[in-house]
Amino acid sequence: MSPSRRPARPTVTSGKVAARDTWVDDDGIRKPAGEVHAWEPGQNQTVCGLPLARAGLVRFPHVAFADTDPLTGGSADAVRWVCPKCAAASGRPRGSRGWERRDPRP
Ligand SMILES: [Zn+2]
């Protein structure tokens, strides 16, 4: 039951990433996995208003939110869901309506 709060600012210019899970690539760099939101360094919540600690989200100050785009991003391998509110607020040029990678049905 998350309140549908709108971000205070319509556009994020320095968006980084907060994600539900983490994986480490071959170079030992942490990458976001699972559910991904935009996050601005210094904030305790995501762009869409989720409190990081209570939502169990991990900060990735070294990963740009744009890099989680499954079409163009270099850090999107393990991304399963990009928050459409955060994507819209970030002014992502593509997929501004958000996207979802659905699991195949068994
Ligand atoms: Zn979000």
Side-chain angles (χ1 to χ4, degrees):
M1 308 322 120
S2 58
S4 57
R5 292 172 53 190
R6 290 187 171 277
R9 281 179 291 164
T11 304
V12 176
T13 54
S14 60
K16 301 301 184 185
V17 174
R20 185 76 67 183
D21 295 307
T22 305
W23 68 283
V24 179
D25 72 6
D26 291 341
D27 297 324
I29 299 173
R30 289 191 310 121
K31 296 292 183 72
E35 175 184 331
V36 172
H37 295 263
W39 163 73
E40 286 194 88
Q43 300 292 314
N44 288 323
Q45 63 181 25
T46 64
V47 170
C48 66
L50 270 178
L52 295 174
R54 284 172 58 185
L57 296 170
V58 182
R59 300 177 182 100
F60 295 85
H62 56 295
V63 178
F65 184 64
D67 279 346
T68 63
D69 190 313
L71 296 175
T72 59
S75 303
D77 290 356
V79 172
R80 296 184 63 84
W81 186 80
V82 175
C83 174
K85 289 189 215 170
C86 288
S90 299
R92 184 175 278 182
R94 290 198 205 188
S96 59
R97 291 166 56 201
W99 66 278
E100 189 171 356
R101 181 181 294 167
R102 297 181 187 278
D103 288 328
R105 292 186 180 277

